[in-house]
Amino acid sequence: MERSEHGNSSDTNTDCPFQLLCFLQLHTYTRVQVSIDICGVDHPSRKRRFEVVYNLLSTRYNSRIRVQTSADEVTRISPVVSPFPSAGRWEREVWDMFGVSSINHPDLRRISTDYGFEGHPLRKDLPLSGYVEVRYDDPEKRVVSEPIEMTQEFRYFDSASPWEQRSDG
Amino acid sequence: MFLRRFARPSSLMMMAKVKETTGIVGLEVVPNAREVLIDLYNKTLTEIQRVPEDEGYRKAVESFTRHRLSVCEQEEDWESIEKKLGCGQVEELIEEARDELKLIDKMIEWDPWGVPDDYECEVVENDAPVPKHVPLHRPGPLPEEFYKTLEAVMGGKLDGALKKDEPVIPATSQST
């Protein structure tokens, strides 16, 4: 558990944060009734590479808490939709962007990616430009997706210094 | 007209001030709030007996439920209950009591008791300074019974784990 000026965040290593979140919602001294956000973080170097982060707010006590659990590609987390109905869309987003699915989720579909999209965009191994590009094909009268063709090589901008990096100085 | 003029002052003096609205959307006024609260608190105290003794959760719930029950029994009308407890309106108290009952049921079903005594919850203190433009969301002051509850829980325990963490975050002993 981390306690800091920035806010409290708590790290649990259970597969089911559902029970912890139900406790936080119902207990008299931690009335956390609003789920602000559920998102994920990808740490490819770890064994359990994804971290699912629940941001919660208690309107009664005016305090926020962040609960983090870890998951890997095949772990299925339990949905927290019954205590927090707004979590339905957040969990869909976590599934869509990372591939961390939920057991018995009431409605698990893709939410931000295109309809036939393969892959999970926010994982670190999907490149920034993706693998396919789409264009409207006039003879076929529909949008087709083709493997990507970039005219320029990927440029890396080092934002540490705004000046052009030169070796001669 | 004369009848009305005589009838009104006496009815005002007989009833306590009637609450017109809670001010919160969706939360209706409960006219017999005191009886409902006393009933719920008694039910909570009997339900919490099912939790094993010596658990932080049980001590915490007993402590604040007894405090709130005693205040409700002493005071006659809802206004003085609200003022004395300092925990918001009686309708909110009723909601909290109902949720606590639900929670006791769920905790007994999940059965997270039995954290080993040497389980240390790692608390990381992050002292990095916050930049000036970032607003710090400071929570408001907690009601004093919260501190009394915290004392009641930490009084018997040596490692002083927080009452939230102690029953719920054991790394290996949760079976689900």
Side-chain angles (χ1 to χ4, degrees):
Chain A
M1 158 128 156
E2 186 188 309
R3 188 186 297 150
S4 66
E5 284 294 314
H6 298 261
N8 297 342
S9 92
S10 164
D11 213 332
T12 76
N13 38 9
T14 60
D15 275 335
C16 314
F18 172 74
Q19 297 168 357
L20 175 60
L21 293 183
C22 272
F23 176 87
L24 285 174
Q25 192 200 27
L26 294 175
H27 185 61
T28 313
Y29 278 132
T30 62
R31 301 272 294 170
V32 173
Q33 312 249 297
V34 184
S35 112
I36 299 284
D37 191 16
I38 300 179
C39 47
V41 188
D42 184 14
H43 298 272
S45 51
R46 293 193 199 160
K47 207 160 166 214
R48 295 181 66 118
R49 71 192 273 211
F50 302 115
E51 215 176 63
V52 183
V53 179
Y54 299 84
N55 288 305
L56 307 160
L57 165 69
S58 160
T59 49
R60 166 79 179 85
Y61 294 108
N62 187 19
S63 70
R64 294 168 186 258
I65 185 168
R66 183 187 302 163
V67 179
Q68 298 169 315
T69 39
S70 53
D72 52 10
E73 286 105 335
V74 291
T75 317
R76 305 178 77 183
I77 57 180
S78 48
V80 291
V81 179
S82 44
F84 302 110
S86 65
R89 295 212 183 177
W90 304 132
E91 305 227 327
R92 276 173 67 187
E93 169 137 13
V94 166
W95 155 242
D96 196 16
M97 294 283 125
F98 291 95
V100 182
S101 69
S102 311
I103 315 177
N104 292 333
H105 188 86
D107 185 18
L108 198 69
R109 303 173 271 163
R110 56 174 77 250
I111 191 169
S112 323
T113 50
D114 196 8
Y115 288 107
F117 194 84
E118 289 162 7
H120 297 280
L122 282 180
R123 293 190 176 183
K124 296 277 195 282
D125 43 13
L126 199 104
L128 184 60
S129 53
Y131 294 124
V132 286
E133 65 175 11
V134 290
R135 66 176 178 85
Y136 178 69
D137 195 33
D138 210 37
E140 293 193 36
K141 298 279 187 248
R142 65 178 180 92
V143 172
V144 296
S145 43
E146 289 168 346
I148 201 160
E149 281 176 16
M150 296 195 63
T151 47
Q152 227 183 33
E153 222 182 69
F154 182 72
R155 294 190 291 173
Y156 175 71
F157 293 103
D158 182 10
S159 51
S161 154
W163 310 115
E164 217 174 306
Q165 306 285 336
R166 275 194 204 189
S167 54
D168 50 311
Chain B
M1 199 166 83
F2 291 104
L3 286 169
R4 250 197 280 155
R5 220 191 286 160
F6 286 126
R8 215 189 275 162
S10 63
S11 67
L12 262 182
M13 277 189 284
M14 288 212 311
M15 296 189 296
K17 197 163 79 160
V18 174
K19 189 191 272 198
E20 285 190 1
T21 170
T22 58
I24 302 174
V25 175
L27 197 58
E28 290 171 1
V29 180
V30 176
N32 56 339
R34 182 175 169 264
E35 285 80 30
V36 173
L37 272 177
I38 292 180
D39 184 40
L40 281 169
Y41 289 142
N42 282 320
K43 223 187 279 183
T44 311
L45 284 174
T46 43
E47 285 289 313
I48 199 70
Q49 306 294 327
R50 290 159 59 192
V51 173
E53 183 62 60
D54 200 39
E55 279 294 330
Y57 181 65
R58 174 168 169 165
K59 284 190 208 160
V61 172
E62 280 183 340
S63 147
F64 69 74
T65 313
R66 284 208 184 106
H67 171 79
R68 290 183 178 192
L69 184 60
S70 66
V71 168
C72 280
E73 283 177 335
Q74 282 168 17
E75 305 291 334
E76 280 298 320
D77 59 322
W78 56 268
E79 207 175 347
S80 44
I81 294 181
E82 281 179 12
K83 214 178 288 180
K84 198 150 176 214
L85 278 179
C87 276
Q89 308 197 37
V90 279
E91 285 81 13
E92 293 177 328
L93 289 173
I94 291 175
E95 258 197 30
E96 288 179 2
R98 285 207 177 112
D99 280 346
E100 193 67 48
L101 272 175
K102 275 188 229 162
L103 184 63
I104 295 177
D105 256 337
K106 290 192 178 184
M107 293 287 263
I108 291 176
E109 184 197 320
W110 295 328
D111 206 22
W113 322 119
V115 182
D117 269 335
D118 54 355
Y119 178 79
E120 277 290 324
C121 192
E122 181 197 337
V123 178
V124 174
E125 295 267 356
N126 184 359
D127 281 334
V130 186
K132 277 192 227 157
H133 62 276
V134 176
L136 294 173
H137 294 282
R138 291 252 159 266
L142 296 167
E144 3 169 305
E145 48 172 288
F146 174 74
Y147 297 106
K148 287 191 215 144
T149 312
L150 206 55
E151 269 174 42
V153 172
M154 299 237 250
K157 290 280 168 183
L158 290 170
D159 54 357
L162 291 180
K163 73 172 152 69
K164 255 196 296 179
D165 297 341
E166 190 198 277
V168 186
I169 315 179
T172 47
S173 51
Q174 263 195 349
S175 52
T176 355

